[in-house]
Amino acid sequence: MSYTATDQLSSAERAFMINATEIDILPGVWGDLDEPLRSGPASALVPILLPLVDKGWIEVCRLVPWTAPNGSLGEQPGPPIPRQDLPAVLADAENWEYPRSGTWLGCLTLTLTEAGQSIPR
């Protein structure tokens, strides 16, 4: 079966969609990329990610603290970063690396929007 919305996606765009489906932190996308993007600079990925945001399929958020109903602590995506701020945020190479501290709070994460979730895969 063919799905028009995703038929035209490149493998790199699919990697971002996978990352958003998994609500993984942004550096997680590296593992889903093919060469030469996998070993290239993060700046080469920004023009791939932003059109997916512009289509309304993906949001870029920072992880914020969360407390589960049972009282255990964790993280969840915070509010989406405004589109006009994304170029500057994504230009910071540190946002594309796993944190040295081991904590993911404050890290960028991708999430599917309601429109992105409705795309058949």
Side-chain angles (χ1 to χ4, degrees), residues 1-81:
M1 180 176 286
S2 177
Y3 299 111
T4 306
T6 58
D7 279 348
Q8 302 303 313
L9 292 181
S10 69
S11 63
E13 290 168 319
R14 286 183 192 278
F16 281 110
M17 294 296 287
I18 290 167
N19 186 274
T21 299
E22 296 172 345
I23 311 175
D24 196 1
I25 65 170
L26 186 58
V29 77
W30 292 110
D32 295 316
L33 292 170
D34 296 327
E35 291 295 349
L37 290 173
R38 182 182 300 211
S39 59
S43 60
L45 301 178
V46 175
I48 298 167
L49 174 57
L50 288 180
L52 297 172
V53 171
D54 293 339
K55 287 180 183 180
W57 293 354
I58 290 178
E59 292 177 325
V60 181
C61 310
R62 290 204 181 271
L63 287 176
V64 297
W66 175 72
T67 303
N70 69 2
S72 62
L73 301 177
E75 306 94 20
Q76 69 179 9
I81 295 171

Side-chain angles (χ1 to χ4, degrees), residues 50-113:
L50 288 180
L52 297 172
V53 171
D54 293 339
K55 287 180 183 180
W57 293 354
I58 290 178
E59 292 177 325
V60 181
C61 310
R62 290 204 181 271
L63 287 176
V64 297
W66 175 72
T67 303
N70 69 2
S72 62
L73 301 177
E75 306 94 20
Q76 69 179 9
I81 295 171
R83 171 60 174 88
Q84 69 270 15
D85 297 342
L86 284 178
V89 170
L90 296 172
D92 182 351
E94 199 169 303
N95 284 320
W96 295 86
E97 300 295 330
Y98 284 101
R100 292 183 193 135
S101 68
T103 180
W104 289 12
L105 286 177
C107 290
L108 293 181
T109 189
L110 304 180
T111 61
L112 289 178
T113 63

